[in-house]
Amino acid sequence: GENVEQHPSTLSVQEGDSAVIKCTYSDSASNYFPWYKQELGKRPQLIIDIRSNVGEKKDQRIAVTLNKTAKHFSLHITETQPEDSAVYFCAASINIPTFGRGTSLIVHP
Amino acid sequence: DSGVTQTPKHLITATGQRVTLRCSPRSGDLSVYWYQQSLDQGLQFLIQYYNGEERAKGNILERFSAQQFPDLHSELNLSSLELGDSALYFCASSPWEGGGLGYTFGSGTRLTVV
């Protein structure tokens, strides 16, 4: 089955800095890559996604890049704000999404 | 409010007991997925139902079972509970049979086994 590795497990940045979270996947048939944000005690919420026929997608301060050849994809957050502090999960999906273990992002004011 | 309703929000029970978690999907969604989230394991897929039928199985223990009813709500039954079953249990719903698109998570049920 699919295996998704996510790094780093914890990321601490200063407000205004950029943050990058990286994921690799094992099954080349995966064709959909969503990212979820989970605030403390709350449900995971989709923040951005990308399909395998697209290399990059941007939505305001967040962007996702996909390298199908290398089987890795990344989340980029620019101009981080304290409210970006949360756990971020990547996932890779053919049929059922397989999630990475999460990255705890801490943005210091 | 995501439209996916999970009850109860919190559950405390003793080892060896049995509990039932309930999930009502978003209106119009036919698929329900169950996930277990523990501190060291992230989000682990347990099982999927689509329009009343089991569609996919993940790392679900034999002590756990689920079903989806004609009104599309789903129940996850956990029996012979162990301390290690303490976790957040999320359900998600989507309109489609697979693919991962359109996933909406509920707010979860926090299960504590003592």
Side-chain angles (χ1 to χ4, degrees):
Chain A
E2 177 65 276
N3 183 49
V4 177
E5 299 285 338
Q6 182 171 348
H7 298 281
S9 56
T10 305
L11 180 57
S12 185
V13 301
Q14 288 296 129
E15 183 177 0
D17 287 350
S18 294
V20 180
I21 302 169
K22 298 183 179 183
C23 290
T24 60
Y25 61 100
S26 61
D27 193 334
S28 56
S30 287
N31 55 17
Y32 176 63
F33 306 90
W35 286 87
Y36 287 83
K37 175 183 180 182
Q38 186 178 25
E39 296 175 0
L40 192 62
K42 302 235 175 127
R43 64 186 179 90
Q45 289 190 274
L46 179 70
I47 56 171
I48 195 167
D49 57 9
I50 192 167
R51 292 180 186 250
S52 58
N53 59 348
V54 176
E56 184 173 356
K57 184 176 177 181
K58 191 172 180 181
D59 182 4
Q60 299 183 331
R61 293 187 298 108
I62 60 173
V64 57
T65 59
L66 171 65
N67 183 328
K68 282 190 64 180
T69 304
K71 289 189 281 189
H72 67 72
F73 55 115
S74 301
L75 178 71
H76 305 252
I77 306 174
T78 59
E79 300 171 22
T80 54
Q81 300 165 4
E83 51 265 39
D84 294 330
S85 297
V87 178
Y88 291 80
F89 291 95
C90 64
S93 180
I94 308 167
N95 192 39
I96 305 289
T98 298
F99 287 83
R101 290 198 173 190
T103 296
S104 178
L105 174 64
I106 303 163
V107 181
H108 299 279
Chain B
D1 182 13
S2 68
V4 180
T5 304
Q6 286 189 250
T7 56
K9 290 192 184 307
H10 302 276
L11 202 46
I12 302 175
T13 190
T15 54
Q17 294 299 304
R18 173 190 168 95
V19 297
T20 297
L21 313 183
R22 182 187 169 107
C23 171
S24 293
R26 204 174 46 168
S27 178
D29 286 357
L30 298 178
S31 271
V32 171
Y33 308 80
W34 286 98
Y35 283 83
Q36 181 190 57
Q37 185 178 40
S38 51
L39 277 174
D40 58 345
Q41 292 295 323
L43 279 161
Q44 296 289 312
F45 169 66
L46 296 177
I47 197 164
Q48 177 208 1
Y49 279 83
Y50 175 77
N51 204 20
E53 294 189 4
E54 182 185 305
R55 273 293 183 263
K57 244 179 178 177
N59 299 319
I60 188 166
L61 299 171
E62 284 192 14
R63 300 183 285 108
F64 296 0
S65 65
Q67 55 185 327
Q68 187 178 30
F69 295 86
D71 67 352
L72 300 177
H73 91 271
S74 177
E75 293 181 356
L76 179 67
N77 301 296
L78 315 177
S79 62
S80 303
L81 285 167
E82 301 174 0
L83 296 177
D85 297 327
S86 296
L88 257 177
Y89 290 84
F90 284 103
C91 78
S93 73
S94 81
W96 298 285
E97 190 172 347
L101 291 125
Y103 252 48
T104 302
F105 281 90
S107 298
T109 293
R110 181 172 294 280
L111 173 67
T112 304
V113 183
V114 298

